Amino acid sequence: MNLRYLLSLGLFIILYTGLTAYIGWHLYFWLHVVFSINHPLIFTALLIGVAYAYIIGQLFSSPLFKKIGALWLAVFQFGLFVLPFANITCWLLGLFIEEVTRTHIVVIGGIVWILFAIYIGVGLYLAYSPVIRSHDISLAKTTSHKSSLKIVMASDMHFGGLSGKKHAERLVKEINKLNADIILLAGDIVDDDPAQFKEKKMDGLLANLHAAYGKYAVTGNHEYYGGKIEDLAVMLDEAGIQLLQDDVVEPNEMITIVGRKDKTDKNRKSASELIDPLDKRKMLIMMDHQPTDLHAIMEAQTDMVFSGHTHRGQIFPYHLITAKLFEVDWGYKQKGRLHVFVSSGFGFWGPPIRLGSRSEILSVHVHFNEC
């Protein structure tokens, strides 16, 4: 580990611990005032355990701790946005009344809890109730027997923990309704380690996906974090899904699909290395998990690229950050001859909460025009 990494890690720990203490103090203060709870050491120990549960779960491969940590992250993000307003409210009250009483604290805290319940309810609904985003595009390609093609794509399922078996069943049900010619899974299929994906038999569920010209997937950054890509490739293969790692496949005489390794792999091939040798008269489709290489993909004369990764920020207002980081952080854009599709994802990372984004599946109807 270099010095810069250690300093960054140390700064993160200090900042995160400080913000956790800020949220924890408010929670303890409210509990103390309302319920006369007076066990600060026990509360502090529990708070530290919960706040670092996700990291503990990662280090010791504990699904339970990861779930606890993910739920805490929902509390953490809510607290950062709402508690400052509660503080301002108390301060303003202090300007107009002689003393902020227990009743005031109970009422303000009660409002915060109501807002938290709304936040959780709406966030869960948007996370677990996917929508279909439909697009129609035209390509100047000559085909022998089809005038159109339907491509269905999902990304960022993060199957394993809170994105579990029911969510996988939902994916299969919704995709099969669309009668896809091709199904694409554009990375972060599992949440790091594919063990739970296998244990919960979600690989068997994905075997029920149907597409005329096949089912294809690429790796995302989280597959690299888990470090078991070969195991996942076997699981997907058994489900009839081909994992492409800088690979090219031709489902029929008119289609070429290129699947890139995630940019986490520093040794992955460039877009031009993959595309240059290919027949440009065919429809060239690329999957690249992170939408960070769009100009090179366009320059390589690719027709379509499918990405995910951004989650569109997942929780408001982080979409403002992803919009600054990526040329296309969500949705559709035509860039020269290249048609760019970036999904907000079917699953979620960390808390099962979405605000300002929604779980989705992309359905792209491609119409062929004679060259």
Side-chain angles (χ1 to χ4, degrees), residues 340-370:
V340 180
F341 297 91
V342 180
S343 174
S344 63
F346 183 81
F348 39 80
W349 180 84
I353 299 293
R354 281 184 175 272
L355 288 173
S357 70
R358 188 166 184 177
S359 294
E360 67 181 23
I361 295 167
L362 300 188
S363 176
V364 180
H365 201 178
V366 184
H367 302 274
F368 299 114
N369 299 321
E370 294 296 323

PDB file of all heavy atoms in Angstrom, residues 340-370:
ATOM      1  N   VAL A 340     -25.892   4.939 -28.003  1.00  0.00           N
ATOM      2  CA  VAL A 340     -25.430   4.672 -26.635  1.00  0.00           C
ATOM      3  C   VAL A 340     -26.633   4.447 -25.718  1.00  0.00           C
ATOM      4  O   VAL A 340     -27.554   5.269 -25.664  1.00  0.00           O
ATOM      5  CB  VAL A 340     -24.595   5.852 -26.094  1.00  0.00           C
ATOM      6  CG1 VAL A 340     -24.119   5.562 -24.665  1.00  0.00           C
ATOM      7  CG2 VAL A 340     -23.413   6.144 -27.015  1.00  0.00           C
ATOM      8  N   PHE A 341     -26.599   3.344 -24.974  1.00  0.00           N
ATOM      9  CA  PHE A 341     -27.636   3.045 -23.992  1.00  0.00           C
ATOM     10  C   PHE A 341     -26.978   2.776 -22.646  1.00  0.00           C
ATOM     11  O   PHE A 341     -26.114   1.903 -22.537  1.00  0.00           O
ATOM     12  CB  PHE A 341     -28.454   1.812 -24.412  1.00  0.00           C
ATOM     13  CG  PHE A 341     -29.201   1.983 -25.699  1.00  0.00           C
ATOM     14  CD1 PHE A 341     -28.613   1.622 -26.914  1.00  0.00           C
ATOM     15  CD2 PHE A 341     -30.474   2.529 -25.708  1.00  0.00           C
ATOM     16  CE1 PHE A 341     -29.301   1.783 -28.111  1.00  0.00           C
ATOM     17  CE2 PHE A 341     -31.170   2.704 -26.898  1.00  0.00           C
ATOM     18  CZ  PHE A 341     -30.581   2.330 -28.092  1.00  0.00           C
ATOM     19  N   VAL A 342     -27.375   3.543 -21.647  1.00  0.00           N
ATOM     20  CA  VAL A 342     -26.855   3.355 -20.289  1.00  0.00           C
ATOM     21  C   VAL A 342     -28.031   3.145 -19.345  1.00  0.00           C
ATOM     22  O   VAL A 342     -28.913   3.997 -19.241  1.00  0.00           O
ATOM     23  CB  VAL A 342     -26.011   4.560 -19.821  1.00  0.00           C
ATOM     24  CG1 VAL A 342     -25.485   4.314 -18.404  1.00  0.00           C
ATOM     25  CG2 VAL A 342     -24.850   4.813 -20.780  1.00  0.00           C
ATOM     26  N   SER A 343     -28.039   2.019 -18.663  1.00  0.00           N
ATOM     27  CA  SER A 343     -29.145   1.684 -17.767  1.00  0.00           C
ATOM     28  C   SER A 343     -28.846   2.106 -16.334  1.00  0.00           C
ATOM     29  O   SER A 343     -27.692   2.053 -15.886  1.00  0.00           O
ATOM     30  CB  SER A 343     -29.410   0.178 -17.805  1.00  0.00           C
ATOM     31  OG  SER A 343     -30.384  -0.186 -16.847  1.00  0.00           O
ATOM     32  N   SER A 344     -29.893   2.492 -15.615  1.00  0.00           N
ATOM     33  CA  SER A 344     -29.751   2.777 -14.183  1.00  0.00           C
ATOM     34  C   SER A 344     -29.661   1.494 -13.365  1.00  0.00           C
ATOM     35  O   SER A 344     -29.402   1.538 -12.172  1.00  0.00           O
ATOM     36  CB  SER A 344     -30.936   3.613 -13.688  1.00  0.00           C
ATOM     37  OG  SER A 344     -32.149   2.886 -13.817  1.00  0.00           O
ATOM     38  N   GLY A 345     -29.873   0.352 -14.029  1.00  0.00           N
ATOM     39  CA  GLY A 345     -29.703  -0.934 -13.356  1.00  0.00           C
ATOM     40  C   GLY A 345     -31.004  -1.557 -12.888  1.00  0.00           C
ATOM     41  O   GLY A 345     -31.994  -0.863 -12.635  1.00  0.00           O
ATOM     42  N   PHE A 346     -30.975  -2.862 -12.778  1.00  0.00           N
ATOM     43  CA  PHE A 346     -32.146  -3.595 -12.316  1.00  0.00           C
ATOM     44  C   PHE A 346     -32.129  -3.769 -10.799  1.00  0.00           C
ATOM     45  O   PHE A 346     -33.166  -3.843 -10.161  1.00  0.00           O
ATOM     46  CB  PHE A 346     -32.202  -4.966 -12.989  1.00  0.00           C
ATOM     47  CG  PHE A 346     -33.410  -5.775 -12.624  1.00  0.00           C
ATOM     48  CD1 PHE A 346     -34.624  -5.533 -13.251  1.00  0.00           C
ATOM     49  CD2 PHE A 346     -33.352  -6.763 -11.662  1.00  0.00           C
ATOM     50  CE1 PHE A 346     -35.761  -6.266 -12.911  1.00  0.00           C
ATOM     51  CE2 PHE A 346     -34.468  -7.500 -11.319  1.00  0.00           C
ATOM     52  CZ  PHE A 346     -35.678  -7.251 -11.946  1.00  0.00           C
ATOM     53  N   GLY A 347     -30.946  -3.828 -10.236  1.00  0.00           N
ATOM     54  CA  GLY A 347     -30.824  -4.010  -8.787  1.00  0.00           C
ATOM     55  C   GLY A 347     -30.361  -2.739  -8.105  1.00  0.00           C
ATOM     56  O   GLY A 347     -30.781  -1.642  -8.458  1.00  0.00           O
ATOM     57  N   PHE A 348     -29.462  -2.901  -7.149  1.00  0.00           N
ATOM     58  CA  PHE A 348     -28.977  -1.758  -6.373  1.00  0.00           C
ATOM     59  C   PHE A 348     -27.728  -2.198  -5.636  1.00  0.00           C
ATOM     60  O   PHE A 348     -27.457  -3.395  -5.465  1.00  0.00           O
ATOM     61  CB  PHE A 348     -30.052  -1.299  -5.371  1.00  0.00           C
ATOM     62  CG  PHE A 348     -30.785  -2.450  -4.738  1.00  0.00           C
ATOM     63  CD1 PHE A 348     -30.240  -3.166  -3.690  1.00  0.00           C
ATOM     64  CD2 PHE A 348     -32.009  -2.857  -5.246  1.00  0.00           C
ATOM     65  CE1 PHE A 348     -30.897  -4.248  -3.139  1.00  0.00           C
ATOM     66  CE2 PHE A 348     -32.687  -3.950  -4.705  1.00  0.00           C
ATOM     67  CZ  PHE A 348     -32.122  -4.645  -3.646  1.00  0.00           C
ATOM     68  N   TRP A 349     -26.941  -1.217  -5.232  1.00  0.00           N
ATOM     69  CA  TRP A 349     -25.787  -1.513  -4.390  1.00  0.00           C
ATOM     70  C   TRP A 349     -26.055  -0.981  -2.989  1.00  0.00           C
ATOM     71  O   TRP A 349     -26.560   0.126  -2.823  1.00  0.00           O
ATOM     72  CB  TRP A 349     -24.506  -0.869  -4.936  1.00  0.00           C
ATOM     73  CG  TRP A 349     -23.331  -1.182  -4.054  1.00  0.00           C
ATOM     74  CD1 TRP A 349     -22.556  -2.305  -4.086  1.00  0.00           C
ATOM     75  CD2 TRP A 349     -22.823  -0.386  -2.981  1.00  0.00           C
ATOM     76  NE1 TRP A 349     -21.604  -2.267  -3.101  1.00  0.00           N
ATOM     77  CE2 TRP A 349     -21.745  -1.094  -2.394  1.00  0.00           C
ATOM     78  CE3 TRP A 349     -23.191   0.849  -2.443  1.00  0.00           C
ATOM     79  CZ2 TRP A 349     -21.021  -0.599  -1.326  1.00  0.00           C
ATOM     80  CZ3 TRP A 349     -22.473   1.337  -1.366  1.00  0.00           C
ATOM     81  CH2 TRP A 349     -21.391   0.621  -0.814  1.00  0.00           C
ATOM     82  N   GLY A 350     -25.712  -1.783  -1.978  1.00  0.00           N
ATOM     83  CA  GLY A 350     -25.921  -1.349  -0.593  1.00  0.00           C
ATOM     84  C   GLY A 350     -27.389  -1.415  -0.230  1.00  0.00           C
ATOM     85  O   GLY A 350     -28.036  -2.457  -0.372  1.00  0.00           O
ATOM     86  N   PRO A 351     -27.976  -0.300   0.224  1.00  0.00           N
ATOM     87  CA  PRO A 351     -29.369  -0.322   0.671  1.00  0.00           C
ATOM     88  C   PRO A 351     -30.324  -0.564  -0.488  1.00  0.00           C
ATOM     89  O   PRO A 351     -30.100  -0.076  -1.595  1.00  0.00           O
ATOM     90  CB  PRO A 351     -29.573   1.076   1.267  1.00  0.00           C
ATOM     91  CG  PRO A 351     -28.564   1.936   0.577  1.00  0.00           C
ATOM     92  CD  PRO A 351     -27.374   1.046   0.354  1.00  0.00           C
ATOM     93  N   PRO A 352     -31.400  -1.300  -0.254  1.00  0.00           N
ATOM     94  CA  PRO A 352     -32.386  -1.552  -1.306  1.00  0.00           C
ATOM     95  C   PRO A 352     -33.315  -0.352  -1.494  1.00  0.00           C
ATOM     96  O   PRO A 352     -34.534  -0.449  -1.374  1.00  0.00           O
ATOM     97  CB  PRO A 352     -33.142  -2.773  -0.777  1.00  0.00           C
ATOM     98  CG  PRO A 352     -33.093  -2.619   0.702  1.00  0.00           C
ATOM     99  CD  PRO A 352     -31.748  -1.994   1.006  1.00  0.00           C
ATOM    100  N   ILE A 353     -32.693   0.775  -1.772  1.00  0.00           N
ATOM    101  CA  ILE A 353     -33.401   2.052  -1.839  1.00  0.00           C
ATOM    102  C   ILE A 353     -33.043   2.749  -3.146  1.00  0.00           C
ATOM    103  O   ILE A 353     -31.870   2.794  -3.541  1.00  0.00           O
ATOM    104  CB  ILE A 353     -33.007   2.968  -0.659  1.00  0.00           C
ATOM    105  CG1 ILE A 353     -33.366   2.319   0.679  1.00  0.00           C
ATOM    106  CG2 ILE A 353     -33.651   4.342  -0.786  1.00  0.00           C
ATOM    107  CD1 ILE A 353     -34.840   2.176   0.922  1.00  0.00           C
ATOM    108  N   ARG A 354     -34.056   3.311  -3.807  1.00  0.00           N
ATOM    109  CA  ARG A 354     -33.834   4.187  -4.954  1.00  0.00           C
ATOM    110  C   ARG A 354     -34.705   5.432  -4.792  1.00  0.00           C
ATOM    111  O   ARG A 354     -35.902   5.321  -4.504  1.00  0.00           O
ATOM    112  CB  ARG A 354     -34.186   3.486  -6.269  1.00  0.00           C
ATOM    113  CG  ARG A 354     -33.114   2.519  -6.768  1.00  0.00           C
ATOM    114  CD  ARG A 354     -33.494   1.955  -8.115  1.00  0.00           C
ATOM    115  NE  ARG A 354     -32.450   1.131  -8.683  1.00  0.00           N
ATOM    116  CZ  ARG A 354     -31.454   1.577  -9.446  1.00  0.00           C
ATOM    117  NH1 ARG A 354     -31.378   2.871  -9.730  1.00  0.00           N
ATOM    118  NH2 ARG A 354     -30.549   0.757  -9.934  1.00  0.00           N
ATOM    119  N   LEU A 355     -34.101   6.586  -4.984  1.00  0.00           N
ATOM    120  CA  LEU A 355     -34.824   7.861  -5.017  1.00  0.00           C
ATOM    121  C   LEU A 355     -34.181   8.709  -6.097  1.00  0.00           C
ATOM    122  O   LEU A 355     -32.965   8.912  -6.094  1.00  0.00           O
ATOM    123  CB  LEU A 355     -34.749   8.583  -3.669  1.00  0.00           C
ATOM    124  CG  LEU A 355     -35.558   7.992  -2.519  1.00  0.00           C
ATOM    125  CD1 LEU A 355     -35.235   8.710  -1.227  1.00  0.00           C
ATOM    126  CD2 LEU A 355     -37.058   8.096  -2.799  1.00  0.00           C
ATOM    127  N   GLY A 356     -34.990   9.192  -7.034  1.00  0.00           N
ATOM    128  CA  GLY A 356     -34.426   9.914  -8.169  1.00  0.00           C
ATOM    129  C   GLY A 356     -33.933   8.983  -9.251  1.00  0.00           C
ATOM    130  O   GLY A 356     -33.380   9.415 -10.257  1.00  0.00           O
ATOM    131  N   SER A 357     -34.103   7.688  -9.051  1.00  0.00           N
ATOM    132  CA  SER A 357     -33.800   6.677 -10.066  1.00  0.00           C
ATOM    133  C   SER A 357     -34.773   5.526  -9.838  1.00  0.00           C
ATOM    134  O   SER A 357     -35.483   5.493  -8.831  1.00  0.00           O
ATOM    135  CB  SER A 357     -32.357   6.190  -9.950  1.00  0.00           C
ATOM    136  OG  SER A 357     -32.179   5.407  -8.780  1.00  0.00           O
ATOM    137  N   ARG A 358     -34.790   4.578 -10.777  1.00  0.00           N
ATOM    138  CA  ARG A 358     -35.686   3.440 -10.621  1.00  0.00           C
ATOM    139  C   ARG A 358     -35.074   2.213 -11.284  1.00  0.00           C
ATOM    140  O   ARG A 358     -34.382   2.328 -12.297  1.00  0.00           O
ATOM    141  CB  ARG A 358     -37.053   3.748 -11.235  1.00  0.00           C
ATOM    142  CG  ARG A 358     -38.094   2.671 -10.923  1.00  0.00           C
ATOM    143  CD  ARG A 358     -39.491   3.144 -11.229  1.00  0.00           C
ATOM    144  NE  ARG A 358     -40.465   2.140 -10.848  1.00  0.00           N
ATOM    145  CZ  ARG A 358     -41.781   2.297 -10.955  1.00  0.00           C
ATOM    146  NH1 ARG A 358     -42.263   3.433 -11.429  1.00  0.00           N
ATOM    147  NH2 ARG A 358     -42.609   1.338 -10.591  1.00  0.00           N
ATOM    148  N   SER A 359     -35.337   1.051 -10.709  1.00  0.00           N
ATOM    149  CA  SER A 359     -34.895  -0.186 -11.342  1.00  0.00           C
ATOM    150  C   SER A 359     -35.560  -0.314 -12.705  1.00  0.00           C
ATOM    151  O   SER A 359     -36.739   0.015 -12.855  1.00  0.00           O
ATOM    152  CB  SER A 359     -35.257  -1.385 -10.462  1.00  0.00           C
ATOM    153  OG  SER A 359     -34.536  -1.350  -9.247  1.00  0.00           O
ATOM    154  N   GLU A 360     -34.791  -0.813 -13.687  1.00  0.00           N
ATOM    155  CA  GLU A 360     -35.322  -0.817 -15.041  1.00  0.00           C
ATOM    156  C   GLU A 360     -34.742  -1.941 -15.878  1.00  0.00           C
ATOM    157  O   GLU A 360     -33.688  -2.523 -15.566  1.00  0.00           O
ATOM    158  CB  GLU A 360     -35.052   0.519 -15.721  1.00  0.00           C
ATOM    159  CG  GLU A 360     -33.583   0.784 -15.984  1.00  0.00           C
ATOM    160  CD  GLU A 360     -33.335   2.133 -16.646  1.00  0.00           C
ATOM    161  OE1 GLU A 360     -34.177   3.030 -16.529  1.00  0.00           O
ATOM    162  OE2 GLU A 360     -32.275   2.274 -17.308  1.00  0.00           O
ATOM    163  N   ILE A 361     -35.438  -2.226 -16.967  1.00  0.00           N
ATOM    164  CA  ILE A 361     -34.994  -3.117 -18.032  1.00  0.00           C
ATOM    165  C   ILE A 361     -35.110  -2.324 -19.331  1.00  0.00           C
ATOM    166  O   ILE A 361     -36.087  -1.593 -19.530  1.00  0.00           O
ATOM    167  CB  ILE A 361     -35.874  -4.381 -18.106  1.00  0.00           C
ATOM    168  CG1 ILE A 361     -35.730  -5.219 -16.829  1.00  0.00           C
ATOM    169  CG2 ILE A 361     -35.532  -5.222 -19.325  1.00  0.00           C
ATOM    170  CD1 ILE A 361     -36.784  -6.301 -16.689  1.00  0.00           C
ATOM    171  N   LEU A 362     -34.114  -2.437 -20.201  1.00  0.00           N
ATOM    172  CA  LEU A 362     -34.166  -1.745 -21.484  1.00  0.00           C
ATOM    173  C   LEU A 362     -34.666  -2.682 -22.575  1.00  0.00           C
ATOM    174  O   LEU A 362     -34.227  -3.836 -22.660  1.00  0.00           O
ATOM    175  CB  LEU A 362     -32.783  -1.221 -21.880  1.00  0.00           C
ATOM    176  CG  LEU A 362     -32.103  -0.222 -20.939  1.00  0.00           C
ATOM    177  CD1 LEU A 362     -30.839   0.313 -21.594  1.00  0.00           C
ATOM    178  CD2 LEU A 362     -33.034   0.911 -20.573  1.00  0.00           C
ATOM    179  N   SER A 363     -35.571  -2.179 -23.388  1.00  0.00           N
ATOM    180  CA  SER A 363     -36.061  -2.902 -24.558  1.00  0.00           C
ATOM    181  C   SER A 363     -35.818  -2.035 -25.777  1.00  0.00           C
ATOM    182  O   SER A 363     -36.410  -0.957 -25.897  1.00  0.00           O
ATOM    183  CB  SER A 363     -37.557  -3.203 -24.406  1.00  0.00           C
ATOM    184  OG  SER A 363     -38.074  -3.829 -25.567  1.00  0.00           O
ATOM    185  N   VAL A 364     -34.924  -2.467 -26.643  1.00  0.00           N
ATOM    186  CA  VAL A 364     -34.521  -1.673 -27.810  1.00  0.00           C
ATOM    187  C   VAL A 364     -34.960  -2.390 -29.083  1.00  0.00           C
ATOM    188  O   VAL A 364     -34.518  -3.511 -29.371  1.00  0.00           O
ATOM    189  CB  VAL A 364     -33.001  -1.437 -27.829  1.00  0.00           C
ATOM    190  CG1 VAL A 364     -32.615  -0.597 -29.052  1.00  0.00           C
ATOM    191  CG2 VAL A 364     -32.548  -0.760 -26.549  1.00  0.00           C
ATOM    192  N   HIS A 365     -35.845  -1.738 -29.814  1.00  0.00           N
ATOM    193  CA  HIS A 365     -36.353  -2.294 -31.075  1.00  0.00           C
ATOM    194  C   HIS A 365     -35.554  -1.661 -32.211  1.00  0.00           C
ATOM    195  O   HIS A 365     -35.674  -0.466 -32.466  1.00  0.00           O
ATOM    196  CB  HIS A 365     -37.829  -1.994 -31.218  1.00  0.00           C
ATOM    197  CG  HIS A 365     -38.539  -2.898 -32.165  1.00  0.00           C
ATOM    198  ND1 HIS A 365     -39.886  -2.822 -32.419  1.00  0.00           N
ATOM    199  CD2 HIS A 365     -38.090  -3.915 -32.950  1.00  0.00           C
ATOM    200  CE1 HIS A 365     -40.235  -3.740 -33.297  1.00  0.00           C
ATOM    201  NE2 HIS A 365     -39.161  -4.416 -33.640  1.00  0.00           N
ATOM    202  N   VAL A 366     -34.749  -2.483 -32.882  1.00  0.00           N
ATOM    203  CA  VAL A 366     -33.872  -1.999 -33.956  1.00  0.00           C
ATOM    204  C   VAL A 366     -34.528  -2.276 -35.302  1.00  0.00           C
ATOM    205  O   VAL A 366     -34.877  -3.431 -35.608  1.00  0.00           O
ATOM    206  CB  VAL A 366     -32.492  -2.683 -33.907  1.00  0.00           C
ATOM    207  CG1 VAL A 366     -31.576  -2.095 -34.970  1.00  0.00           C
ATOM    208  CG2 VAL A 366     -31.872  -2.549 -32.514  1.00  0.00           C
ATOM    209  N   HIS A 367     -34.702  -1.223 -36.098  1.00  0.00           N
ATOM    210  CA  HIS A 367     -35.282  -1.361 -37.432  1.00  0.00           C
ATOM    211  C   HIS A 367     -34.161  -1.213 -38.459  1.00  0.00           C
ATOM    212  O   HIS A 367     -33.351  -0.280 -38.381  1.00  0.00           O
ATOM    213  CB  HIS A 367     -36.356  -0.288 -37.659  1.00  0.00           C
ATOM    214  CG  HIS A 367     -37.455  -0.329 -36.649  1.00  0.00           C
ATOM    215  ND1 HIS A 367     -38.554  -1.135 -36.777  1.00  0.00           N
ATOM    216  CD2 HIS A 367     -37.598   0.325 -35.466  1.00  0.00           C
ATOM    217  CE1 HIS A 367     -39.348  -0.973 -35.733  1.00  0.00           C
ATOM    218  NE2 HIS A 367     -38.790  -0.089 -34.914  1.00  0.00           N
ATOM    219  N   PHE A 368     -34.124  -2.121 -39.428  1.00  0.00           N
ATOM    220  CA  PHE A 368     -33.062  -2.115 -40.435  1.00  0.00           C
ATOM    221  C   PHE A 368     -33.532  -1.395 -41.690  1.00  0.00           C
ATOM    222  O   PHE A 368     -34.603  -1.692 -42.228  1.00  0.00           O
ATOM    223  CB  PHE A 368     -32.642  -3.541 -40.765  1.00  0.00           C
ATOM    224  CG  PHE A 368     -32.100  -4.307 -39.591  1.00  0.00           C
ATOM    225  CD1 PHE A 368     -32.796  -5.405 -39.089  1.00  0.00           C
ATOM    226  CD2 PHE A 368     -30.930  -3.912 -38.977  1.00  0.00           C
ATOM    227  CE1 PHE A 368     -32.308  -6.104 -37.999  1.00  0.00           C
ATOM    228  CE2 PHE A 368     -30.450  -4.606 -37.888  1.00  0.00           C
ATOM    229  CZ  PHE A 368     -31.135  -5.702 -37.387  1.00  0.00           C
ATOM    230  N   ASN A 369     -32.702  -0.470 -42.146  1.00  0.00           N
ATOM    231  CA  ASN A 369     -32.945   0.207 -43.410  1.00  0.00           C
ATOM    232  C   ASN A 369     -31.899  -0.256 -44.404  1.00  0.00           C
ATOM    233  O   ASN A 369     -30.712  -0.423 -44.061  1.00  0.00           O
ATOM    234  CB  ASN A 369     -32.855   1.729 -43.263  1.00  0.00           C
ATOM    235  CG  ASN A 369     -33.889   2.253 -42.288  1.00  0.00           C
ATOM    236  OD1 ASN A 369     -35.021   1.768 -42.272  1.00  0.00           O
ATOM    237  ND2 ASN A 369     -33.524   3.234 -41.502  1.00  0.00           N
ATOM    238  N   GLU A 370     -32.287  -0.468 -45.660  1.00  0.00           N
ATOM    239  CA  GLU A 370     -31.334  -0.915 -46.661  1.00  0.00           C
ATOM    240  C   GLU A 370     -30.237   0.132 -46.845  1.00  0.00           C
ATOM    241  O   GLU A 370     -30.501   1.332 -46.885  1.00  0.00           O
ATOM    242  CB  GLU A 370     -32.040  -1.148 -48.012  1.00  0.00           C
ATOM    243  CG  GLU A 370     -33.046  -2.300 -47.983  1.00  0.00           C
ATOM    244  CD  GLU A 370     -32.405  -3.645 -47.727  1.00  0.00           C
ATOM    245  OE1 GLU A 370     -31.285  -3.858 -48.252  1.00  0.00           O
ATOM    246  OE2 GLU A 370     -33.003  -4.476 -47.025  1.00  0.00           O
TER     247      GLU A 370
END
